[in-house]
Each structure stands twice: as structure tokens, then as C-alpha cells.
Amino acid sequence: MTAEHGGQDLVIPDAIRALLERRAQYMEWLAKLEDLGGKYRPEVAKRVGADYRDRLRGVEGELHGHKEELDSSLLQRKQQLSEFEERHEVCAAELEEAELRHQVGEFDEGEWGSRKEAHERDLADVVRALDVQREAVAELGAVLLQVTAPSEAAATRHVEPGAWTESG
């Protein structure tokens, strides 16, 4: 079951989004530390880097704990996407059938207009639902990629400080 947020379907729960934001922050800090580390005492840069790497590993561990939930949500969304794709085909075929029946004379202009409007409305609703499901599948896939392929490079990167200067 997906969470609701402001009446809008929330694909990624807030708790996971917060973890992803913290992960991005630690990765950003590690990158900045790599650039700035040479300006500070080696032991200070190493201590700060170790702290950030530990925090990053902790967040990634928490994210990995949500993998099953994300996998389940992705599977559910893919199933819904498949159902909407099937529904799209049915709606398109129904519209085409109504048009054909009009062309051969079974439906007059009034009946055709009424049926066409209803079928086009149904088709538009299905297209919107398809778009939502496709976006959800893409977002879940991207998050799962982040969860299953953690930032090993950033987590293991060591700051190699240069000569420390007091002006830095």
C-alpha cells in the first residue's frame, strides 16, 4: 500500500526520501572534504572523513533495510502498469469498434458522438493512469538502484591531505 501525501500518491515513502537526502549530503561532504582536506591537519581531515564514511555506511544500511519494501512496491506498480496497458488496448479497440459501426451505418451522428466522447474520456483516463504508473516504476527503479548499488567509492574514499598550512 502506498502512502498518501497531500492527496497525491506518494511513490517513495518520506522516511526513505529522508535517508536518500542524508546519503546525498554525506556524499557531498565527502567530495568537498577531498577538495579541502589538504588545507587542514592530516589527522583532522582523516577523522572528519572517517566520521562521514561511517555516517554514510549507516544510512546505506538503513536504506538496504527498505529494499524488500521497495521491491514489493515496484512489483505491485509493474502489475498495475500491465493492467492499465491491457485496459488501454481494450479502450482503444472499443473506440475503433464504435467508429466502425458508425461508418457502416449502425450508429447515427448523435449516437456516434455520444459513444466517441465516452470512449475518448475512458481512453484519456487510462493514458493518465499509465503515465502515473510509468513514472512510479521509473522512480522506484532509480531508488532501488541507489539502495542496491551503494556509494562504495565515496564510502571508501580516503582524503589524502597535502601539506598542512596554517593559512588554510
Side-chain angles (χ1 to χ4, degrees), residues 15 26 57 71 73 91 99 101 105 113 116 128-129 132 145 152 163-164:
Y26 297 145
R57 279 190 291 271
D71 281 333
S73 184
C91 287
E99 182 178 11
R101 289 179 184 277
K116 179 182 179 191
R128 280 191 294 278
V132 167
L145 184 61
E152 293 168 6
W164 175 68

Side-chain angles (χ1 to χ4, degrees), residues 98-118:
E99 182 178 11
L100 178 59
R101 289 179 184 277
H102 167 66
Q103 292 295 324
V104 297
E106 181 179 345
F107 300 146
D108 64 19
E109 286 300 318
E111 179 73 15
W112 162 237
S114 170
R115 288 178 183 254
K116 179 182 179 191
E117 184 179 310

Side-chain angles (χ1 to χ4, degrees), residues 18-157:
L19 288 170
L20 290 168
E21 289 170 9
R22 284 181 31 214
R23 178 179 183 261
Q25 181 67 69
Y26 297 145
M27 291 172 63
E28 181 182 331
W29 289 349
L30 282 165
K32 285 181 181 178
L33 180 62
E34 185 174 308
D35 293 338
L36 297 172
K39 296 179 181 180
Y40 298 89
R41 296 173 192 242
E43 63 273 14
V44 171
K46 284 182 182 181
R47 185 170 50 248
V48 171
D51 176 48
Y52 293 162
R53 285 188 296 279
D54 286 345
R55 291 188 202 184
L56 180 60
R57 279 190 291 271
V59 165
E60 287 179 339
E62 288 182 60
L63 279 169
H64 189 71
H66 290 281
K67 183 182 179 311
E68 188 175 310
E69 172 187 357
L70 291 167
D71 281 333
S72 175
S73 184
L74 180 60
L75 179 61
Q76 179 185 17
R77 293 291 186 149
K78 284 182 175 180
Q79 289 170 340
Q80 291 172 342
L81 178 60
S82 178
E83 291 168 9
F84 282 117
E85 287 170 340
E86 289 173 15
R87 180 71 187 136
H88 182 270
E89 287 303 311
V90 168
C91 287
E94 288 173 347
L95 175 60
E96 192 174 321
E97 180 180 338
E99 182 178 11
L100 178 59
R101 289 179 184 277
H102 167 66
Q103 292 295 324
V104 297
E106 181 179 345
F107 300 146
D108 64 19
E109 286 300 318
E111 179 73 15
W112 162 237
S114 170
R115 288 178 183 254
K116 179 182 179 191
E117 184 179 310
H119 287 301
E120 286 177 342
R121 187 175 47 248
D122 289 347
L123 199 53
D125 290 345
V126 172
V127 167
R128 280 191 294 278
L130 273 169
D131 289 344
V132 167
Q133 293 307 319
R134 286 182 181 127
E135 288 175 21
V137 166
E139 186 175 4
L140 282 163
V143 169
L144 268 167
L145 184 61
Q146 290 182 47
V147 169
T148 58
S151 60
E152 293 168 6
T156 59
R157 186 182 319 170

